[in-house]
Amino acid sequence: MGQALAGISFWLGWALLALASMGTLYSLAAAVVVWRFFARTTSVGRHTEAVTILKPLHGAEPRLRENLASFRAQDYDGPVEMVCGVASADDPAIAAVEGARLVVDPTQHGANAKVSNLINMARSGPLAPIVVLSDSDIVVGPDYLARLVEALAQPGVGAVSCLYYGRGDAGFWSRLAAGWPSYQFLPGAVFAVAFGVATPCMGSTIALRRETLERIGGFKAFADVLADDHAIGRAVEGLGLKVAVPPMLVVHACDEASLGALWRHELRWAATVKGITPGAYAASVIGFPFALALLGAMLASQGWSVVAAALAARLAVALVVDRVSGARTMPLWWLPVRDVLSFAVFVASFFARSVDWRGARLRMAQGGRIRAASETPR
């Protein structure tokens, strides 16, 4: 029995090492693709169409005032209104709102609190011809709106979304958390966009015309959908329009103050993606070559050269991302820990049946829909 288990462990170890070798090649290819993607130059014309920016807020964030201010400091020729929404008059996020219209409305329209917030903001006043949705933890440059509207003006484009890298705002755990969007999410997303494998639509930014929003049923159509950003993108594509992802980066500000907060946040994201595209998500295991190689080497008692090669490839990815973003997300010597933690979240996501969203427990249902964990299944 012992010999049989040892044999299984040995061959499983080598299978993991083979998978890690594939992941190493993928990582090197992703580093090249990321560099080339952001090396592209795009011209930006002068646009004057009115824009409404919707910012759903909930709770205090370390640099929320600064994050919001970046959306007001835009080099854009047309009129821009920013609308911030909260569900409670005592929400601490209100203190950070300046130069924007504030909507306080506790009305809940479905299980997705963020979408309820968007519905309340949208019905509080008229929207401009161009509507931009963006999460509270996003920071942008002064050419952000001009580049969005330029991309939206291209033929056949129905929505525009933005790729992002991480920035830690609350100490060690937030900086470690920031490594995930920078070094795990971003390379995979760029690779998918560059080769036409997928066109992600992300909460970092969704820009679309008001008439397009109305044609897809408004925000109410997504009130019980966990991945509302993804669902909006697919609805736009259902109209025969494209979701464009231009070669520009915004910042995702991470505020995780503990390992528990990091784990809950990343597990929610991972479980959401798994529920949307389970096959593609499972195949993304090759994006963890270092963790795979490390586990394989321990089981097979050899193959440590594969571990070294995998780590070198992951360092290449991190260096390229830091170069194109113009910022060092986290110390590079943290990368092995970050990669092992990312792989642990990946494995755990296959067993997740509910997720935490800002303190609310949401039970995942079929088709990417959600309900409060306390609700009785219908």
Side-chain angles (χ1 to χ4, degrees):
M1 185 65 176
Q3 288 184 336
L5 289 175
I8 292 173
S9 176
F10 176 81
W11 289 111
L12 177 59
W14 276 107
L16 290 170
L17 288 169
L19 196 58
S21 297
M22 294 171 55
T24 298
L25 294 175
Y26 158 76
S27 295
L28 292 172
V32 174
V33 171
V34 168
W35 179 264
R36 290 182 174 177
F37 184 84
F38 290 106
R40 294 186 297 161
T41 56
T42 56
S43 60
V44 179
R46 310 301 293 188
H47 298 275
T48 59
E49 288 184 273
V51 176
T52 297
I53 301 174
L54 300 179
K55 300 289 292 187
L57 308 179
H58 179 87
E61 297 174 18
R63 296 166 67 176
L64 180 58
R65 189 186 304 274
E66 174 187 325
N67 299 349
L68 295 176
S70 70
F71 284 82
R72 299 196 309 272
Q74 291 296 304
D75 181 15
Y76 183 73
D77 292 339
V80 179
E81 180 186 32
M82 186 163 73
V83 182
C84 297
V86 295
S88 172
D90 61 1
D91 193 311
I94 293 175
V97 177
E98 297 176 349
R101 179 159 59 88
L102 178 65
V103 176
V104 181
D105 192 337
T107 307
Q108 190 74 17
H109 301 274
N112 190 318
K114 171 188 162 184
V115 174
S116 289
N117 202 344
L118 288 169
I119 294 170
N120 294 335
M121 283 187 280
R123 70 180 187 176
S124 70
L127 298 176
I130 295 178
V131 181
V132 176
L133 331 174
S134 180
D135 291 343
S136 60
D137 51 13
I138 299 301
V139 187
V140 299
D143 61 345
Y144 168 76
L145 278 184
R147 296 182 71 176
L148 282 185
V149 177
E150 177 72 24
L152 191 59
Q154 302 309 305
V157 173
V160 181
S161 196
C162 288
L163 297 162
Y164 54 89
Y165 66 96
R167 185 190 73 190
D169 288 349
F172 170 78
W173 291 111
S174 68
R175 290 199 72 190
L176 189 65
W180 181 85
S182 289
Y183 305 145
Q184 197 70 45
F185 162 76
L186 181 59
V190 172
F191 196 91
V193 170
F195 288 97
V197 177
T199 49
C201 193
M202 299 155 284
S204 57
T205 291
I206 303 177
L208 71 173
R209 297 191 178 277
R210 183 183 60 208
E211 62 187 73
T212 303
L213 178 61
E214 293 169 353
R215 289 177 64 192
I216 62 176
F219 295 124
K220 288 184 178 180
F222 312 99
D224 286 311
V225 178
L226 180 59
D228 51 276
D229 45 7
H230 172 83
I232 289 172
R234 300 298 78 78
V236 169
E237 291 179 336
L239 300 177
L241 300 171
K242 296 183 294 186
V243 176
V245 181
M248 62 183 288
L249 280 171
V250 298
V251 180
H252 170 74
C254 301
D255 64 353
E256 290 83 352
S258 67
L259 176 60
L262 182 156
W263 181 268
R264 289 189 296 272
H265 186 187
E266 295 188 8
L267 184 60
R268 173 173 62 84
W269 186 93
T272 300
V273 176
K274 178 182 67 68
I276 295 169
T277 55
Y281 181 76
S284 70
V285 68
I286 66 169
F288 306 98
F290 174 73
L292 291 170
L294 188 63
L295 184 57
M298 288 189 294
L299 289 174
S301 300
Q302 52 188 298
W304 294 100
S305 61
V306 180
V307 177
L311 181 58
R314 290 292 294 145
L315 284 170
V317 169
L319 288 169
V320 168
V321 169
D322 285 350
R323 182 65 180 271
V324 300
S325 67
R328 174 60 50 81
T329 297
M330 68 180 194
L332 293 181
W333 63 271
W334 293 5
L335 190 59
V337 174
R338 176 64 266 188
D339 278 12
V340 170
L341 180 57
S342 296
F343 182 67
V345 172
F346 174 80
V347 173
S349 68
F350 287 93
F351 303 95
R353 296 295 177 267
S354 62
V355 294
D356 179 272
W357 194 87
R358 296 186 183 275
R361 200 68 186 169
L362 303 175
R363 189 169 299 281
M364 302 176 69
Q366 292 183 343
R369 305 190 75 80
I370 52 173
R371 59 175 182 268
S374 59
E375 289 182 7
T376 302
R378 291 176 288 182

